[in-house]
């Protein structure tokens, strides 16, 4: 049985070899090591880092940046949750990985995630330049500006990753594996 994510067959793609036997055979490590798996791991990592910065440094400055924070928090939470669910499905079911990936869902999800990241990152960038940067210049220890700047840069990077994933999912959907 050939898999679309670079694994050879179920006996070789699930689990890992430890001495003379395979362990953790319920986990598809072949997916995790594939190009799509690595992209998903990067997406989860960027969403986690963004969310951490937004909660730690953005919430105390919510009076200043307002809806830009809400927009970015919503985007990272939505993208993290959906990507994590997909990752769990793909890691525990080789059948799910081929069925979901060949449907239009992956293409649409990643396209929407890309546009949401670009939109919320642009809004956060505007808020940083207009409202946070002046405060950063006059208030010592005002770390919301550099943290929110890092968050919106990572948001753009996550948007690019979702765009790449949307393209790869679309090619898979069209049969160009």
């Amino acid at each position: 049985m050939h898999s679309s994510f670079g694994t050879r067959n179920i006996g070789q793609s699930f689990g890992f070899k430890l001495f003379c036997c395979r362990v953790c055979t319920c986990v598809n490590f072949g997916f995790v090591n594939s190009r799509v798996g690595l992209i998903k791991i990067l997406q989860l990592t960027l969403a986690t880092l963004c969310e951490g910065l937004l909660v730690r440094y953005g919430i105390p400055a919510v009076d200043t940046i307002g809806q830009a924070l809400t927009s970015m928090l919503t985007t990272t939470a939505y993208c993290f949750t959906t990507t994590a669910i997909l990752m769990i499905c793909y890691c525990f079911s080789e059948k799910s990985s081929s069925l979901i990936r060949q449907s239009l869902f992956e293409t649409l999800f990643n396209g929407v995630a890309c546009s949401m990241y670009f939109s919320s990152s642009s809004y956060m960038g505007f808020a940083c330049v207009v409202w946070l940067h002046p405060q950063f210049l006059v208030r010592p220890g005002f770390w919301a500006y550099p943290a929110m700047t890092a968050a919106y840069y990572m948001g753009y990077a996550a948007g690019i990753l979702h765009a790449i994933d949307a393209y790869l999912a679309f090619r898979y959907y069209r049969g160009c594996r």
Side-chain angles (χ1 to χ4, degrees):
M1 180 170 149
H2 288 284
S3 168
S4 59
F5 297 115
T7 57
R8 281 180 264 196
N9 63 43
I10 292 177
Q12 293 177 341
S13 64
F14 281 72
F16 59 93
K17 189 169 176 91
L18 183 66
F19 302 113
C20 63
C21 58
R22 298 198 74 75
V23 293
C24 294
T25 56
C26 60
V27 180
N28 182 1
F29 287 108
F31 172 75
V32 174
N33 293 325
S34 71
R35 175 175 49 182
V36 175
L38 294 174
I39 289 172
K40 295 246 179 268
I41 290 170
L42 288 172
Q43 290 168 348
L44 289 172
T45 302
L46 286 173
T48 302
L49 292 172
C50 280
E51 193 79 10
L53 288 173
L54 294 167
V55 168
R56 171 68 175 96
Y57 296 100
I59 289 178
V62 72
D63 293 340
T64 306
I65 52 180
Q67 292 301 314
L69 178 67
T70 306
S71 173
M72 194 81 171
L73 279 169
T74 302
T75 297
T76 56
Y78 154 73
C79 293
F80 177 86
T81 303
T82 307
T83 302
I85 290 168
L86 287 171
M87 189 78 170
I88 291 166
C89 289
Y90 294 169
C91 284
F92 289 98
S93 171
E94 189 170 26
K95 190 174 192 176
S96 291
S97 64
S98 65
L99 289 174
I100 296 171
R101 194 77 179 163
Q102 73 186 2
S103 73
L104 201 53
F105 175 78
E106 272 268 5
T107 304
L108 292 175
F109 160 66
N110 283 302
V112 170
C114 171
S115 64
M116 286 181 68
Y117 266 120
F118 284 171
S119 174
S120 64
S121 293
S122 296
Y123 193 13
M124 182 60 77
F126 172 79
C128 284
V129 170
V130 172
W131 297 306
L132 295 180
H133 186 255
Q135 290 185 42
F136 178 70
L137 295 175
V138 296
R139 287 178 50 194
F142 185 73
W143 297 110
Y145 171 71
M148 295 303 96
T149 301
Y152 83 79
Y153 276 118
M154 285 189 281
Y156 281 126
I160 291 168
L161 282 174
H162 279 284
I164 292 167
D165 203 8
Y167 172 74
L168 294 173
F170 182 72
R171 284 181 47 88
Y172 192 86
Y173 169 73
R174 301 286 278 173
C176 305
R177 297 180 178 128

